[in-house]
């Protein structure tokens, strides 16, 4: 069965600093990969997804992620974070079935 | 347009009681999903509907949990004989088609507390 590991439960950063949130998944023949963000008291919102093709995926709000098949990773990055990026970030994987398998989440805290 | 809505937003019940949680998907979305999110965890898949039928119910934890989608739109998650361990946020999502590549759009969730 698929599994997702988010390597950092909490990431504190200062405003305008770069950030990387790490995600590893268990190996499979082919997978679809997703990053969702959950702001306080709001539903999950898709940031970006990888289906096929270019391994660098660009999403909303200046986020991007790189699919690395050999390392089974899909790390999320942003070159300069804002206070408003403070939220919970979830990495998720699908092996083609409808069900998404989520990681436990990473809390990104941006301070001034 | 309107997103996925869930009612109630909060539900407090006593151990052993029956509860129903409702989900209104985005209009026209044929696929609907239920997830459960416990404190400090990521969402955990429960069940997936394609139209009116449950295409995958492998995530339902036991036979106290049941979900329906009789007309292919609104869905209700039903929990019988609630236990304290059922306390969690129950999330509903919908998507256009239902394949693994589909973007799932999530509602705000129903926070269930079992006393």
């Amino acid at each position: 069965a698929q599994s997702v590991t988010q390597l950092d439960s909490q990431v504190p950063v200062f405003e305008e600093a770069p950030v990387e949130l790490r995600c590893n998944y268990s190996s499979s023949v082919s997978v679809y990969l997703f990053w969702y963000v959950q702001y306080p008291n709001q539903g999950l919102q898709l940031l970006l997804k990888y289906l096929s093709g270019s391994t660098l995926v660009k999403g909303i709000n200046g986020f991007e992620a790189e699919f690395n098949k050999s390392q089974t990773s899909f790390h999320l990055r942003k070159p300069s974070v804002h206070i408003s990026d403070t939220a919970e970030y979830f990495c998720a994987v699908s092996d083609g079935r409808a069900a998404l398998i989520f990681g436990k989440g990473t809390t990104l805290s941006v301070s001034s | 347009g309107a997103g996925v809505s869930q009612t109630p937003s909060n539900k407090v019940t006593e151990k052993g009681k029956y509860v129903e949680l409702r989900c209104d998907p985005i209009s026209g979305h044929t696929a609907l999903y239920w997830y459960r999110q416990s404190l400090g965890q990521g969402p955990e898949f429960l069940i997936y509907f394609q139209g009116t039928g449950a295409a995958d119910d492998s995530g339902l934890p036991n036979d106290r949990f049941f979900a329906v989608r009789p007309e292919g739109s609104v869905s209700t998650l039903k929990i019988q004989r609630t236990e304290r361990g059922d306390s969690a946020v129950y999330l509903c999502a919908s998507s256009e088609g239902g394949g693994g590549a589909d973007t799932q759009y999530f509602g705000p969730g129903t926070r269930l507390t079992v006393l």
Side-chain angles (χ1 to χ4, degrees):
Chain A
Q2 282 287 347
S3 65
V4 176
T5 301
Q6 292 187 241
L7 296 159
D8 307 292
S9 60
Q10 296 191 28
V11 175
V13 293
F14 287 108
E15 196 173 18
E16 298 183 9
V19 71
E20 179 179 77
L21 307 184
R22 297 180 293 168
C23 172
N24 285 90
Y25 61 95
S26 56
S27 179
S28 180
V29 176
S30 62
V31 295
Y32 303 122
L33 294 155
F34 305 79
W35 275 99
Y36 279 86
V37 60
Q38 188 173 37
Y39 298 105
N41 300 316
Q42 293 187 29
L44 289 158
Q45 179 183 3
L46 181 72
L47 275 177
L48 48 80
K49 65 181 180 181
Y50 171 80
L51 303 181
S52 65
S54 173
T55 58
L56 184 63
V57 180
K58 292 190 182 298
I60 62 171
N61 300 339
F63 284 93
E64 63 181 31
E66 184 149 22
F67 169 62
N68 188 319
K69 187 173 182 179
S70 63
Q71 297 187 2
T72 61
S73 68
F74 190 55
H75 300 335
L76 181 70
R77 295 191 291 257
K78 186 170 182 178
S80 176
V81 295
H82 302 290
I83 298 284
S84 59
D85 292 323
T86 295
E88 188 83 10
Y89 291 80
F90 292 95
C91 181
V93 63
S94 164
D95 59 5
R97 293 180 293 176
L100 288 177
I101 308 301
F102 284 86
K104 291 186 176 182
T106 297
T107 302
L108 175 64
S109 300
V110 183
S111 57
S112 57
Chain B
V4 177
S5 62
Q6 294 185 245
T7 54
S9 55
N10 281 284
K11 176 71 176 178
V12 180
T13 191
E14 294 180 343
K15 180 175 178 296
K17 299 290 188 183
Y18 168 84
V19 296
E20 289 189 351
L21 312 178
R22 176 187 168 105
C23 172
D24 277 275
I26 293 172
S27 178
H29 281 189
T30 61
L32 185 145
Y33 317 77
W34 284 99
Y35 292 82
R36 176 170 69 174
Q37 187 174 16
S38 300
L39 194 62
Q41 303 294 317
E44 175 188 20
F45 170 76
L46 296 177
I47 187 170
Y48 152 58
F49 286 90
Q50 183 57 253
T52 61
D56 183 356
D57 65 358
S58 62
L60 294 177
N62 52 59
D63 61 6
R64 296 187 298 105
F65 288 74
F66 189 71
V68 295
R69 196 186 184 199
E71 297 178 359
S73 178
V74 170
S75 175
T76 305
L77 179 66
K78 308 180 181 193
I79 310 174
Q80 298 177 323
R81 304 183 305 280
T82 52
E83 300 177 356
R84 291 193 180 88
D86 298 335
S87 295
V89 177
Y90 288 81
L91 300 171
C92 177
S94 70
S95 71
E96 289 186 17
D102 254 21
T103 295
Q104 297 183 22
Y105 296 86
F106 284 80
T110 293
R111 182 176 299 278
L112 175 66
T113 303
V114 181
L115 301 177

